[in-house]
Amino acid sequence: MRNRFVLSFLCIGTLLLASFARAEDGYDMWLRYQPVANENLRQEYQAQIKQIIAEGNSATIKVAVEELQRGLSGLLAVPVTQTALANATAGRVLIGTPANSPLIAALGLKKKLVALGNEGYLIHKINTQIIVAANTDVGVLYGSFHLLRLLQTEQPLNNLSITSSPTLQYRVVNHWDNVNRLVERGYAGLSLWDWGTLPEFKNPRYTDYARINASLGINGTVINNVNADPRLMSDQFLKKIAALADIFRPYGIKLYLSINYNAPRAYGDLDTADPLDPRVQDWWKARADKIYSYIPDFGGYLVKADSEGQPGPQGYGRNHADGANMLADTLKPHNGVVFWRAFVYHPDIGDRFRGAYDEFTPLDGKFKENVILQIKNGPIDFQPREPVSPLLGSLKKTNMMMEVQVTQEYFGFANHLAYQGPLFEEALKTDLKVDGKNSTLANILSGQFNKSTLKNARTGMAAVINPGTDRNWTGHPFVQSSWYAFGRMAWDTSLNSDAIAEEWLRMTFSNQEKFIAPVKKIMLESREAGVNYRSPLGLTHLYSQGDHYGPAPWTADMARADWNAVYYHRAAEDGIGFNRTGTGSNALAQYPAALAKQYADLNTVPEDLMLWFHHVEWNHKMKSGRTLWEELVDKYYSGVNQVRTMQAEWDNIEGQIDAERFAHVKALLSVQEREAVRWRDSCVLYFQSISTLPIPVAYEKPEHDLEYYKMLARTTYVPDPWHPAGASRVLK
Ligand code: BDP
């Protein structure tokens, strides 16, 4: 009788838990740990997992245990806690390293572990126990998250024999957060870092932020904008920053700062920031020593120098290597590194595409070993589709990492659904075709490709992320998926965006097949849809200047040539596109010969990159049999249709997930549809005014004329609190 009472009490408890859990606001991201919905499987898990055993007691092991307790108890819907060794019997999850756990040491896993390096781990089922073992505590933490992921995605736990270690060393997120808490290109509220209340108030969000990153194996965070405010290096701020570093440390996350190259002057101490001036060197050395006195494991600096008005060594007649090496020397004694950005393009360079390659290739081999060049995936700037940056294929003796963007600066801010996994994958799988070797970008980034010319390369990948004070962190719930994809791919560059989307959906929403299949389809199509309704066939940067949100392909009145959309598309009576072949800017010559050859030929260049490299006649025959003009129009229309299909597919899954997130995404998809139509009509009408060719009658007619869309671009309120450009343009 009593047992039955307890049982029904437990059942009601579980039901209550499940129904409360249904009200979701996205805060928990992919770490929701809701009870496994499949009843049989949940029981199976319950039979296999009863307790957690951990022998080490470092801060990292503690957070691993906490995460397992929280996760397993949630997923199994029964308490799973750490047990004292003496009580340990069957069904135990044993975590640790051979160094801190005699139980793990006794298992004879050392050989297997050696191959896994500092951050790798293994998850083995041995008899009735599940072992999560690693060489380091942080490896154990990563393995614990992996184990939880197995349950979250409803994988079997029998015969577990998993090993995993990261392909890249520096897996870093970049915040573009300003001291005043506005986030450049953020779109999800204010900066997470509340400088006013730090260090005293440690907002629990800081810990959750660390958990989210650690669950993916992200091991570094640059907490402030690359357009950096020197005040962050003051003692006043360092105290606050140190409090954040303390919170991140157990999660294996190092803290980095973006610095302003003119800091020695900004502080008023010096009248120069010349990297070869001994006083400047002393200043930076003293600053580094100071920072490390607050944060002993500080990661280092991210530097945007001589780029978009930011100061740098060139202002003092020095080059990027002089600039980076000086900083590197001051960090070296502390094991810090310099991420030196290659995002440079000067007003007088002619073809902006060429900028980074032309400046950095001559410096190959000149950088200190603790400098890593941080290079955007494409040559221009996070456009919906770019060819890979030729700089990534040219450096042989320089550490480099790729920078991608999770925040949707060019993808409709936090208003559009645009899963970036396919974009990252496309970049990583691009083969630069160097000397017939395996020269995929993934292989180059891993350090394998250049191992004969660069020993012990430092490797990595960085992503500009946008979390802010919005309850769901990222504004659009699906921006979370790109953060997720970044972390997973930085850990394992061979993963594909399809599998990652599925994993994310299962953890973030539901394991139901009838939910996953259609929504995965939406995700996988969303990036291409965004390309199609904005800039298909290799068009690029047709945005209204400054805000980078709406369409303004007619922009021609900006002071600098490369701030104008017409600079990029070059539409004229005779055709459209930017000639980068030998008869044009010859930027193609920056690619390895075989790739350059493929792209230089109109018959072999992939059509989706065509107008990046060629100025093509309007009536050029495309593979589809259509003319270029017809194809262009068709792409714009199919972009809108894709969004409409996404809407219909989303509507179909109503009732399968919580009403809150369903309604939110549904509403945002309507915004996206409206704006996709605006993009399509603006671009098609504008290009038509140049090609003077008709829009085939089969397509729906644009609702308004071109003048209307031009007016719209001048008067639209741009929902980007950071950027003043929207407002000033209205007044023009
Ligand atoms: C561009 C952004 C600008 C950034 C810059 C950068 O428009 O806000 O400061 O990149 O990466 O995409 O430095």
Side-chain angles (χ1 to χ4, degrees), residues 170 172-174 374 401-405 460-464 486:
Y170 292 85
V172 184
V173 286
N174 292 184
Q374 186 166 311
M401 60 201 277
M402 177 166 73
E403 178 181 311
V404 295
Q405 206 177 39
M461 203 162 143
V464 182
F486 160 72

Side-chain angles (χ1 to χ4, degrees), residues 77 92 94 100 145 172 179 225 232 247 358 372 377 386 395 424 510 558 582 595 608 632:
R92 64 188 192 182
L94 169 61
N100 69 21
F145 276 113
V172 184
V179 173
N225 193 353
L232 274 165
I247 296 170
D358 285 347
I372 308 170
N377 61 286
E386 295 201 31
L395 299 172
F424 306 158
S510 157
M558 303 296 292
L595 191 63
D608 56 14
L632 192 66

